Amino acid sequence: MHEKVEPARYTPAPSDTLTDDVFANARDHGPEVGYSRRIGDRWAPVTHAQFAAQVTGAATGLMAWGLAPGDRVGIMAGTSFEWMVCDFAIWTAGGVTVPIYETSSAEQVEWILRDSGAVGVFVANADVERAIASVRASVPDLRAVWTLDSLNLDSSERDAGEPDAGELDTSQSDTSEPDTSEPDTSEVEARRTSRTSDSLATIIYTSGTTGRPKGCAITHANLLSQVHNVVAAKNITQLVFNDRSTTLLFIPVAHILARSIQLTAVHNRVHLAHSADAKKAASLLVDVKPSVVLAVPYIFERIYNTAKHKAASEGKGWIFGLADGTAREYSESLDHGGPSVLLRLRHGLFDRLVYAKIRAAVGGEVDYIVSGGAPLGARLGHFFRGVGINPLEGYGLTETCAGVTLNLPGQQRIGTVGRPLPGCSVRIADDGEVLLKGGVVFREYWHNETATREAFDDDGWFRSGDLGSLDDAGYLTITGRKKDLIVTAGGKNVAPAVLEDRVRAHWLLSQCLVVGDRRPYVAALLTIDAEVLPKWLAEHGHPEQATIESLREDPALLAELQSAVDDANKAVSHAEAIKRFSILPHDFTVDAGLLTPTLKVKRTVVTERYAAEIDGLYDAQIVRTR
């Protein structure tokens, strides 16, 4: 076994809780603007003092309604400032937050609310409220549903007689009799400080690529260990997350990584903005001009592919190709003594011609990107670092409050997920599984003792389910999911992630799912990116209404995708190479149940739904690739 242990630089005291930062910021930096709240088409500044008052007001309403310490409250809404207010208000009132993705099915919503025993739930709007209503009969503990509007944050726009800004209006969709005696500020503070670091803070249900979601019971201490040890790591506070930094969150804060980033931003007083609309991320990035951005690799893939294809369509593909290679070469040189004079000159030329435009597309001020949810890969990692946008890729799971390892500024090895953060330990088991320990590791699966026992080995290490390796310096490389490992009929072990990452690099492709378990060879299912398909149609003389279904045997399209497969196959041995592929008529989407809310492919669901397509790839009469 190979193991790397990093001593903790912070251990939560019994009295420490996640709400401490909100009120410390209000006390010490009250007049300073800490947040930008999206209202319609504008950004409204919010000071630390105002935020604390809004949290206190909402907590007051929850306590007046009857929320008891330890009660669970759901939040089913997109990423927003209001979501954050609800989260801290629930904690301030002594409750436990249960995040629910807006894209969750009725069956998932019913299960999460019922399993968690939620007594109330905040929802984004009336549409989500109706979705809750459809399952409410099956959720006996649920007594109230509030829309985010019930927070009454706009004190300047309220009518006489309405609750004060931040105070929760408990009259909305409430089936219980509210307590008419309203707590005062001292009672709210007494409730807030009655919680301890060992108290349960949140139950996060794993989005799961298979099976029913499991609730990860996470304490205040778990999340505090994450936040404080991250900011104690080398150069994070100095260079990345501080009171001079700005970040825009647009991936769901129901996801543990976005939640951890949000908590870290509050702790270090990073100027924080939110948006639930990832499709508008490009324009909002230009608007907010963040210095650090968190996103899933898909977003960075799209930025790269869009720039590459735009250059090609303008007859400048050769320039982009040279710039691409130079960026990667420049980044790689940083790990091996630095760039030569000639490489610096070449890099400077392409910085003016290409790289500056890419940086402008993400706001022009981004120094660092934090990639999570799936592997970014060395290909994109070196490209973006070479462009001047430094990727800080790390590794973790919901069960570990996100980050266990991280590539720190000045201590990066692109292609790895970094070394253990302070307070975290990584061990590689004999079968290659990554095992984890530390203050960030969750307590248990809610109401699931069997799953909890199975999640830990006899020495108390959490079984991640991922395969990986540690190098001599302690950098972790993830090679794939243990359950995703393909073993061909010939006995060859194939990790699909390497191939899938390379295939998705093609601008026309959205998804790639490698198959071949117990089959004679490796094959793949491919999906076309619907947003860029019109460009390809126009370039190849097809009518704009042409469908992917009608083009699945088109020679030009097959040749285009064959080039992507050929490029991917260069990264593996002949026995691991993709021998055939099939183009699916539709992309994988969250709504179709084929992607998790964080855009990870539900491999089991896809292979079940497209079983006939997969069988067809092994029909001797079908020849799809060389």
Side-chain angles (χ1 to χ4, degrees):
M1 290 187 184
H2 196 183
E3 182 178 316
K4 176 66 176 176
V5 177
E6 188 67 30
R9 299 186 188 176
Y10 162 85
T11 301
S15 61
D16 291 348
T17 69
L18 292 165
T19 57
D20 294 342
D21 289 329
V22 173
F23 296 94
N25 289 345
R27 181 188 65 240
D28 301 333
H29 304 275
E32 299 172 14
V33 173
Y35 312 91
S36 289
R37 177 185 169 218
R38 190 72 172 174
I39 304 176
D41 294 330
R42 67 184 179 90
W43 293 101
V46 180
T47 67
H48 291 293
Q50 289 170 330
F51 178 56
Q54 291 164 343
V55 168
T56 300
T60 299
L62 287 169
M63 289 173 61
W65 171 78
L67 187 76
D71 279 350
R72 278 77 64 200
V73 179
I75 306 177
M76 188 173 176
T79 298
S80 67
F81 176 82
E82 291 78 5
W83 203 108
M84 182 172 62
V85 171
C86 290
D87 200 18
F88 280 106
I90 292 166
W91 289 333
T92 298
V96 177
T97 303
V98 182
I100 306 173
Y101 290 102
E102 277 191 297
T103 54
S104 298
S105 67
E107 183 178 331
Q108 288 172 328
V109 172
E110 182 270 333
W111 163 252
I112 291 171
L113 291 174
R114 180 161 55 85
D115 185 64
S116 66
V119 298
V121 59
F122 288 96
V123 297
N125 49 48
D127 288 339
V128 182
E129 189 174 13
R130 284 190 288 272
I132 298 289
S134 70
V135 302
R136 195 160 182 174
S138 303
V139 189
D141 294 319
L142 188 65
R143 309 200 314 265
V145 180
W146 306 290
T147 65
L148 294 184
D149 289 342
S150 66
L151 293 171
N152 295 297
L153 299 184
D154 301 315
S155 59
S156 61
E157 299 174 6
R158 73 183 190 277
D159 296 324
E162 286 189 355
D164 290 338
E167 183 178 340
L168 176 65
D169 180 359
T170 56
S171 64
Q172 294 194 9
S173 303
D174 194 348
T175 58
S176 64
E177 291 295 326
D179 185 348
T180 55
S181 60
E182 184 154 310
D184 59 24
T185 303
S186 61
E187 289 178 288
V188 174
E189 179 64 7
R191 172 70 68 83
R192 183 184 80 80
T193 55
S194 70
R195 311 311 287 162
T196 69
S197 59
D198 194 48
S199 297
L200 188 62
T202 187
I203 304 173
I204 302 179
Y205 284 78
T206 56
S207 52
T209 54
T210 61
R212 178 170 270 177
K214 293 180 292 189
C216 300
I218 294 172
T219 65
H220 284 259
N222 292 145
L223 285 165
L224 286 167
S225 295
Q226 170 78 172
V227 171
H228 287 256
N229 280 303
V230 165
V231 300
K234 185 176 180 180
N235 290 333
I236 289 295
T237 295
Q238 296 88 333
L239 300 178
V240 185
F241 254 39
N242 53 56
D243 57 5
R244 302 179 303 281
S245 307
T246 300
T247 192
L248 171 67
L249 282 180
F250 53 85
I251 71 170
V253 281
H255 186 268
I256 185 62
L257 179 57
R259 191 95 162 283
S260 294
I261 291 288
Q262 180 169 272
L263 289 168
T264 305
V266 172
H267 178 71
N268 267 22
R269 301 196 316 283
V270 174
H271 190 109
L272 184 57
H274 301 80
S275 173
D277 193 348
K279 292 182 179 178
K280 293 183 179 178
S283 60
L284 291 175
L285 286 168
V286 173
D287 197 12
V288 175
K289 292 180 170 48
S291 57
V292 58
V293 172
L294 165 67
V296 294
Y298 174 76
I299 299 295
F300 303 123
E301 190 85 65
R302 289 294 300 274
I303 293 170
Y304 170 82
N305 285 341
T306 298
K308 182 178 181 179
H309 182 67
K310 184 175 185 295
S313 64
E314 295 173 351
K316 301 176 182 177
W318 65 276
I319 295 178
F320 187 89
L322 291 172
D324 186 357
T326 298
R328 297 173 202 269
E329 185 181 350
Y330 186 89
S331 174
E332 291 168 359
S333 75
L334 297 177
D335 298 330
H336 304 285
S340 65
V341 174
L342 183 59
L343 180 55
R344 287 181 183 276
L345 291 172
R346 193 157 29 104
H347 185 269
L349 172 63
F350 288 124
D351 188 72
R352 294 190 296 275
L353 294 176
V354 178
Y355 308 152
K357 295 176 183 178
I358 294 174
R359 293 195 298 270
V362 291
E365 302 293 334
V366 175
D367 295 317
Y368 296 95
I369 54 176
V370 179
S371 177
L376 179 65
R379 175 179 57 83
L380 284 178
H382 279 304
F383 173 78
F384 277 100
R385 183 165 69 163
V387 163
I389 302 174
N390 214 352
L392 303 179
E393 187 173 14
Y395 167 75
L397 304 92
T398 302
E399 290 88 343
T400 66
C401 299
V404 174
T405 68
L406 184 64
N407 272 295
L408 299 172
Q411 295 182 341
Q412 294 171 272
R413 289 194 181 176
I414 302 293
T416 78
V417 290
R419 294 191 292 191
L421 285 161
C424 297
S425 301
V426 176
R427 172 185 285 182
I428 306 300
D430 292 338
D431 64 354
E433 183 174 11
V434 178
L435 307 178
L436 307 168
K437 260 189 182 182
V440 298
V441 177
F442 79 141
R443 184 162 66 189
E444 63 185 353
Y445 289 114
W446 183 255
H447 291 168
N448 197 333
E449 292 182 7
T450 300
T452 301
R453 283 195 303 272
E454 292 173 350
F456 294 89
D457 71 6
D458 293 339
D459 295 325
W461 289 82
F462 173 68
R463 306 177 190 269
S464 71
D466 289 311
L467 298 172
S469 61
L470 283 167
D471 66 18
D472 292 339
Y475 287 85
L476 176 65
T477 298
I478 300 296
T479 56
R481 289 289 290 171
K482 192 174 179 179
K483 64 184 179 182
D484 292 344
L485 191 68
I486 292 171
V487 183
T488 67
K492 182 65 178 178
N493 289 351
V494 180
V498 175
L499 288 162
E500 291 167 350
D501 174 62
R502 289 283 290 259
V503 171
R504 285 196 306 267
H506 193 282
W507 71 277
L508 192 53
L509 285 167
S510 175
Q511 294 290 348
C512 170
L513 186 85
V514 170
V515 297
D517 197 45
R518 292 173 292 177
R519 303 277 194 168
Y521 50 80
V522 175
L525 301 176
L526 308 180
T527 71
I528 305 298
D529 190 329
E531 290 188 22
V532 302
L533 179 62
K535 297 177 183 177
W536 186 88
L537 293 174
E539 291 169 2
H540 290 79
H542 291 290
E544 61 181 15
Q545 66 271 22
T547 64
I548 296 170
E549 180 69 37
S550 68
L551 295 167
R552 293 174 74 186
E553 301 298 328
D554 182 86
L557 180 61
L558 291 175
E560 189 93 54
L561 301 188
Q562 182 65 58
S563 67
V565 170
D566 289 344
D567 180 70
N569 285 342
K570 294 175 184 177
V572 298
S573 69
H574 178 74
E576 298 169 277
I578 297 170
K579 302 301 191 297
R580 295 181 178 177
F581 66 83
S582 180
I583 307 168
L584 299 182
H586 305 289
D587 199 0
F588 304 156
T589 65
V590 174
D591 291 341
L594 301 178
L595 297 180
T596 71
T598 53
L599 307 182
K600 291 192 286 288
V601 175
K602 295 183 177 181
R603 190 174 296 271
T604 301
V605 178
V606 172
T607 54
E608 289 175 355
R609 190 169 300 181
Y610 290 103
E613 288 278 357
I614 295 172
D615 288 341
L617 287 167
Y618 298 93
D619 186 329
Q621 295 179 346
I622 295 179
V623 178
R624 185 75 78 222
T625 74
R626 301 188 187 95

